[in-house]
Amino acid sequence: MLRRLAVSTAVAVLVVTGWNAPAHADALPAVPPRATPIGDITGYPRQNVLPVWPDNPDDASIPIGVIAYDDIAPKLNALQADSDRVSARVAGKSSGGYDLYVVTVTAPESRSEAQKQERWKRLIEDDPVRARSDKQLLRDYKTPLFVNANIHGNEWEGTDAALRVISEYASSTDPAVASLLQRNRLVFNITSNPDGRVAGTRANSAGYDLNRDLTIVSQPETNLIRELAVDVKPIITLDLHGYVSPTLLHPSTPPHNVNNEYDLFIKHALPNALGIEQGLKDLGYAETQSARIPFRDDEPGVWDDFPPIYVPSFSLLQSSIPYTIEAPLNPRGNLTPAEKLRRSGINTDVHEVAIKKSLEYIQANRNQVIYDQAEVYRRGWAGEPQRDIPDEYVPGWGPEDDYRTVFPRSYVIPAGDRQHSPAAAARLVDLLIGSGGRVWQASSSFRADGKSYPAGSYVIDLHQPKRGIVNSLLEPGADITDRVSDLYAGPAGWSQGLTWGATVDTLWDSLPRTRLTRVYDGVARGSYPPGRVSYALDIQDATDLRAVNDLLAGGARVYRLADGSVVVPWSPSSQALIKSAVRQHGVSFAAAPKRWSGTLLDEVVVGYVGGVEVRDTLADTGFAARAVSASTLATSLTGDVDVLLVASTLNPATLTAENKAALDAYLARGGGVVGVDTAGPAFSTAAGLLTAVAHSGASLASGVVNVVNNGGPVTSGAIPHSFIAQPVWYTGLGADVTVEQSYAADPLLAGWWAPASNGTGGQDQAAGQASIVRSTTAAGNPVVLIGTDPIWRLHAKGLQSQLGRALIWASQS
């Protein structure tokens, strides 16, 4: 039964007092990471003349009746010239090279006033109890609102609504507007995907859906959104989309991310949503007389806020009250120009209502929303358990909404020999800090939970203000298969702590007793042994692969050993190349075994069948890569291609004669094949390469899995966890097939993995079955099939080394 309830705007207010001081003296630094020193902060307005782009008559915005990208900068320049309330800047470049515009709208501030605002903003996070009892702060702090517009390029109207509100507030003589701008800062990311806006595509020019990238941060546009979410500390965040009819707006269905202080969110999110809904009705359009609020109207799993990859779900972990707003009318397609204009006009009105109603909510509930934002931080500092939220805490809240976690006391990312990959550890630390977390480093060795840790180990004290995002990234997660029958999208489990290739230890009850110094980036300092020795590198990260590929490109003699590691014999030239690799990539070489033997490698050229994620994974690992498709085999699968990576459909039976001949010639000369996802085994079976029967789970099955590594050139030394996005496993293996990795007896550690609709494809059927296999055909083709997912959205960085090792083995075995 749907939860369609008459919801009152009266909700319970939970007030908790008391606060425990941080455990170590340097917990409250004067300057947050990468933040501008207070003394360097200037007043408002902060105006810049934005470069103007040339006219583009092919801009896909024009037929929709919304503003063309090249008209945005002139409009913002004019607004700045006419108003001291508007400050615009180019805050970065899109993947396609367009300017990214951030606009702040507020009443003018002197330098001292702006510095006071910044101190208050930092105080709310750093000392929340003091902040929320500061009468001057409560009276004069400018509460921030963040509007992120047009993250999906062909959902245009959020940009136009933002510009409309900016224009109105820039020149309004209404005393209510003047008062509003005295008490608020409005921050707009005007078009967060200008590539897609101009091209009329959902993705940016690199091919990525930016609203799936907030905890991977592979794209420059996403990096800016993350910076704004962390730095602005908005009370409310609006992410403006289209097109769902009737207008859809958060809050969401369960599953809810377990790391949120959901009681502090939902008591504001639901009444503000109802206020927006009423504002939509007041527009008077037939199409806006109702709204869809998933929390109220949908079954669990239909539109959830579980994974932190979306702007709203990431922002919720930043102590904001976030919304996706899906405007109702699709202006694309075969419509008359007048109808497109009508629809885009209504959509713009919808987004304008969302902005203004959210500002109204902040003003009407000012002290409480400041208090509750600070309360999230206070609970983090104090290390308090999450609240048990009673049924009907807000109308419609029930047991299906109860998603919580238990926070450990701290995490340790070890240095030294216990660290699987120093490069992966440094990357993980950068992610934590960039996401608003705090990380410290031990200046001396210590013991904790019976283990010894060397100096330089990173320590994450989870008594910190944004513990939610930190723990969401580091904890394993949970198997939610039995809790929901559906998901909006994957992943249902992620855990950068387990899938990014770094060793991370959980200390449930203790914080290491050692001097800790806060750090602001992760560092991997490589090394190499002295003397005239052969240099060995155990490939366990993408950085190791980049180093190997650089060595090969530089002319070094590189040998692959049976376990997949590589050795470079000493010579004056190789030593110089080794030094360069250490300096550039931070990798560490060891002295090779005295009696080693291996296969001499050449540069590896990969022909790949797949999309942008395959392309960019190969770029991350340093391979020379060439796109191959069923229609280009004759021209692209040339003699210099060493290995074919199949990550999307390639069916030999449907090829033209010319392209089939090219594939046959490649296989006849012993060309290697690496297959991933469901496409890889399908190609292997159709081409008669490897004796194996492939099985797959449901398309939304995703998460972190337990695996057993059997060693060999692909998985020797690999991490004991993997990542799946539609898992694949193999049975019926031929006698010549070697299993390098299998799913454990209890495969799913965290995520959602229900059987397929026909009852097959469940966890129990995959348990103990092969997840990575390899063999060499009678014709001499090395073949590796990988049933986990080292490519999906560039997420599982700890699996990239397994893919790279497979490519090296299959290229020259």
Side-chain angles (χ1 to χ4, degrees), residues 256-532:
H256 307 301
N257 189 291
V258 298
N259 289 280
N260 286 307
E261 307 296 330
Y262 221 82
D263 59 315
L264 300 175
F265 161 70
I266 194 65
K267 73 177 187 181
H268 296 297
L270 185 55
N272 185 46
L274 296 173
I276 295 172
E277 181 180 43
Q278 184 59 52
L280 298 179
K281 293 179 180 179
D282 293 343
L283 287 173
Y285 302 114
E287 297 94 337
T288 63
Q289 291 308 298
S290 64
R292 174 182 164 195
I293 301 173
F295 174 80
R296 180 189 67 186
D297 299 331
D298 291 342
E299 293 282 8
V302 172
W303 195 289
D304 62 80
D305 55 4
F306 192 58
I309 57 175
Y310 310 107
V311 172
S313 53
F314 179 83
S315 298
L316 182 51
L317 290 164
Q318 299 293 327
S319 191
S320 187
I321 303 163
Y323 293 85
T324 288
I325 308 291
E326 296 275 357
L329 301 176
N330 190 343
R332 304 184 296 247
N334 187 24
L335 303 170
T336 65
E339 178 61 13
K340 290 182 178 182
L341 186 62
R342 187 188 77 86
R343 292 187 179 196
S344 64
I346 293 174
N347 291 337
T348 302
D349 290 347
V350 165
H351 288 316
E352 180 185 3
V353 165
I355 296 169
K356 290 183 175 179
K357 284 293 184 180
S358 294
L359 283 168
E360 286 180 17
Y361 187 86
I362 292 172
Q363 294 313 104
N365 300 275
R366 175 183 170 82
N367 283 12
Q368 191 64 56
V369 293
I370 294 174
Y371 184 98
D372 288 338
Q373 185 177 66
E375 173 65 7
V376 173
Y377 300 144
R378 188 204 65 80
R379 291 180 188 179
W381 280 120
E384 292 182 356
Q386 292 171 309
R387 300 299 187 266
D388 181 5
I389 307 176
D391 290 354
E392 297 303 311
Y393 172 76
V394 297
W397 183 272
E400 70 276 12
D401 292 295
D402 185 12
Y403 281 80
R404 285 179 284 168
T405 192
V406 176
F407 294 105
R409 181 61 182 85
S410 62
Y411 291 95
V412 179
I413 302 176
D417 293 342
R418 289 191 53 249
Q419 180 51 247
H420 181 259
S421 169
R427 181 173 55 238
L428 181 59
V429 166
D430 285 342
L431 178 71
L432 294 170
I433 293 170
S435 300
R438 304 185 183 208
V439 179
W440 292 262
Q441 197 166 33
S443 55
S444 59
S445 61
F446 62 91
R447 285 186 61 80
D449 278 12
K451 297 178 181 178
S452 295
Y453 295 93
S457 295
Y458 298 105
V459 175
I460 297 94
D461 179 359
L462 219 57
H463 286 194
Q464 61 172 289
K466 293 184 179 178
R467 66 175 178 179
I469 184 62
V470 172
N471 200 55
S472 189
L473 295 172
L474 292 180
E475 72 173 351
D479 182 347
I480 64 169
T481 305
D482 293 335
R483 292 208 60 180
V484 290
S485 59
D486 191 15
L487 286 174
Y488 175 70
W494 46 94
S495 187
Q496 279 85 344
L498 294 181
T499 64
W500 272 36
T503 302
V504 180
D505 291 344
T506 304
L507 305 184
W508 284 103
D509 302 312
S510 64
L511 177 71
R513 299 179 64 84
T514 186
R515 179 169 178 78
L516 299 174
T517 302
R518 191 172 172 192
V519 295
Y520 300 104
D521 55 26
V523 177
R525 293 185 174 88
S527 62
Y528 61 94
R532 298 188 174 190

